[in-house]
Amino acid sequence: MKILVATDKPFAKVAVDGIRKEIEAAGYEFALLEKYTEKAQLLDAVKDANAIIIRSDIVDAEVLDAAKELKIVVRAGAGYDNVDLAAATAHNVCVMNTPGQNSNAVAELALGMMVYAVRNFYNGTSGTELMGKKLGIHAYGNVGRNVARVAKGFGMEVYAYDAFCPKEVIEKDGVKALDSAEELYKTCQVVSLHIPATAETKNSINYALLKDMPKGAMLVNTARKEVINEAELIKLMEERADFKYITDIMPAANAEFAEKFAGRYFSTPKKMGAQTAEANINAGIAAAQQIVGFLKDGCEKFRVNK
Ligand code: NAD
């Protein structure tokens, strides 16, 4: 069995070493394709792979057509919108993610970006503090829960809304559960986004939702750029000089945001939420272990194309 790690943005070396160890200990062959620049390189590398570990790499119908021996793809990370699930199912390929493995890394980045923004991007002027501010967590999954934990340490008043997580589960963490996204945005001065990009959530963060945020509002996005209706966010920020947008996923209209909203807009140069040695190791090794469990014992615990 050949297990391919195909990452255009490579894992940290220590993570690659850990993945190799897991795979070789199970008696499988390890192969590595890193920093590829052409899709043709990926198509060639997957030809004889039985399993693939990816990060943000695109696995579409063309890749699946080329991978004749493929049984499983594991996205080392949480979001799997880079994999064509319907095509994978049609090819009889199991798709998994590695939930929870990078959540603390993303949560720390979200809080770090909040501090950076309320301190005016460390420009030497006097800023504000997070303590006592109302933080709204939009989606209480693995990242949202970690954001709540860290934010409480900062003394923030934490609220959350999740379409699927029961309110009792949220409230057990000492977080106030609200009934709708609308209520969350109306209540909280700072909203941290943790919804996945799905057909339902794409473009859902729009003018109607954001316009009711309290004065001095800040939206922090460590989820996906696709969930934001960029044109409507721009319209809102043109109307409201008090509104800040801080993101880990550069918008398509980055240049326009940067030019129009200097001093209240920030984007990381590339997605950095999961870019820590710890998250790389956790997610990479979990991916390798899930592949071994699937190939040896048929374990499908983290399958996302059920
Ligand atoms: P998760 O699957 O643990 O949690 C997602 C939560 O969203 C779940 O609790 C689910 O019930 C909720 N949800 C789904 N649809 C919803 C809706 N329409 N309204 C409200 N809640 C909804 O995922 P996670 O690990 O917390 O990650 C969240 C997202 O963050 C991922 O999907 C990914 O896109 C993004 N992410 C980004 C980075 C980064 O590097 N910036 C890293 C990891 C994850």
Side-chain angles (χ1 to χ4, degrees):
M1 288 279 177
K2 183 168 177 176
I3 320 299
L4 171 73
V5 173
T7 50
D8 137 30
K9 251 188 335 186
F11 285 107
K13 184 179 178 309
V14 60
V16 176
D17 292 344
I19 295 170
R20 180 196 293 269
K21 210 167 137 195
E22 293 287 337
I23 287 170
E24 291 179 347
Y28 299 143
E29 184 189 344
F30 171 87
L32 185 63
L33 171 71
E34 286 183 330
K35 295 185 189 169
Y36 58 91
T37 50
E38 307 290 333
K39 190 175 187 183
Q41 294 170 270
L42 178 61
L43 295 177
D44 187 51
V46 300
K47 268 194 316 216
D48 57 350
N50 303 103
I52 318 177
I53 296 174
I54 54 164
R55 300 187 72 204
S56 299
D57 310 78
I58 308 288
V59 173
D60 57 14
E62 193 183 2
V63 174
L64 292 158
D65 281 342
K68 300 273 181 259
E69 308 299 323
L70 193 62
K71 296 181 177 358
I72 176 167
V73 176
V74 181
R75 189 313 195 205
Y80 44 85
D81 44 321
N82 48 321
V83 181
D84 184 335
L85 294 189
T89 304
H91 283 78
N92 204 19
V93 169
C94 171
V95 182
M96 294 186 188
N97 64 347
T98 61
Q101 303 293 341
N102 57 21
S103 322
N104 182 64
V106 182
E108 287 189 12
L109 185 86
L111 267 294
M113 293 203 305
M114 284 177 212
V115 174
Y116 185 47
V118 295
R119 293 303 184 95
N120 303 329
F121 310 110
Y122 305 149
N123 70 357
T125 64
S126 180
T128 59
E129 299 179 20
L130 293 178
M131 189 159 83
K133 299 264 183 328
K134 289 181 177 166
L135 170 67
I137 299 180
H138 192 169
Y140 203 70
N142 286 295
V143 178
R145 278 200 291 279
N146 276 282
V147 168
R149 173 179 55 78
V150 183
K152 282 195 286 172
F154 272 87
M156 298 186 85
E157 208 181 305
V158 185
Y159 295 77
Y161 166 69
D162 190 293
F164 305 104
C165 179
K167 283 175 91 172
E168 310 82 77
V169 172
I170 297 175
E171 302 213 317
K172 240 193 269 162
D173 291 347
V175 171
K176 294 179 190 93
L178 299 179
D179 289 318
S180 66
E182 286 72 18
E183 204 184 341
L184 188 80
Y185 285 73
K186 268 187 197 139
T187 306
C188 300
Q189 188 175 3
V190 183
V191 171
S192 193
L193 262 177
H194 305 292
I195 45 175
T198 62
E200 189 198 339
T201 63
K202 281 182 184 165
N203 277 316
S204 66
I205 308 304
N206 56 19
Y207 184 88
L209 198 57
L210 298 171
K211 72 174 185 349
D212 293 329
M213 284 183 75
K215 196 165 164 36
M218 174 158 73
L219 178 67
V220 180
N221 183 7
T222 56
R224 285 286 182 270
K225 72 169 188 280
E226 290 80 4
V227 301
I228 304 282
N229 184 322
E230 286 187 18
E232 295 193 15
L233 175 58
I234 289 171
K235 172 174 148 65
L236 179 90
M237 289 179 74
E238 282 169 347
E239 288 174 13
R240 280 188 56 172
D242 65 312
F243 196 104
K244 286 193 175 100
Y245 181 50
I246 311 299
T247 180
D248 183 36
I249 306 93
M250 189 175 277
N254 174 54
E256 187 175 354
F257 275 98
E259 189 197 320
K260 287 189 170 159
F261 309 122
R264 55 195 180 97
Y265 165 72
F266 170 78
S267 172
T268 52
K270 61 175 187 176
K271 190 152 68 73
M272 292 182 61
Q275 296 284 13
T276 66
E278 292 89 340
N280 265 220
I281 295 166
N282 295 346
I285 290 179
Q289 289 170 341
Q290 287 172 214
I291 286 175
V292 173
F294 175 79
L295 294 177
K296 288 206 186 287
D297 306 318
C299 176
E300 298 195 357
K301 184 169 174 200
F302 296 107
R303 185 171 189 145
V304 292
N305 62 334
K306 292 203 171 87

